[in-house]
Amino acid sequence: MPIPVSNNGSTYFNINQCRSFNLIVGTAMTKLSSQPCSEIEIHNTSGGQLSAYDNGYSGEEFAFRLDNGERATIRGLTNSDQVSAKAAVAGRVFYRTQFFSMNPLRS
């Protein structure tokens, strides 16, 4: 039996559709691109500290800080554009959207 290359016509449908993005983030607040998801894995490669914010919060008391080279998962989302970020120095940030961290077992 051939291995399915898409969900179309497959006996198993992968509901955890994931997408990868990268974005140059500067010192001004930048909203991440819009992609339906419940969580984002974000990897700071900007060269400096990155501050991430969710659900429209932008005050420093709401910042989730990542040093250069650190990564974190932000959960509880319905779309990746609920997350915004700004960097101490302009640089590239990588992130991956997903609906959940693992494919659930199904019976």
Side-chain angles (χ1 to χ4, degrees), residues 12 14-16 39 75 98-105:
Y12 173 78
N14 180 6
I15 59 174
N16 193 17
E39 60 186 47
R75 294 184 174 90
Q98 52 201 28
F99 282 100
F100 34 81
S101 299
M102 302 259 212
N103 257 353
L105 294 176

Side-chain angles (χ1 to χ4, degrees), residues 23 25-32 42-46 48-54 57-68 70 72 74 82-89 91 93:
L23 178 68
V25 174
T27 56
M29 192 75 76
T30 304
K31 189 179 279 198
L32 302 186
I42 189 165
H43 185 197
N44 178 17
T45 60
S46 69
Q49 192 175 69
L50 181 79
S51 298
Y53 304 85
D54 65 348
Y57 291 97
S58 60
E60 290 307 306
E61 67 273 21
F62 300 109
F64 188 86
R65 299 200 196 298
L66 293 168
D67 287 329
N68 187 56
E70 286 187 323
I74 300 171
Q82 289 177 275
V83 177
S84 297
K86 66 180 180 178
V89 294
V93 173

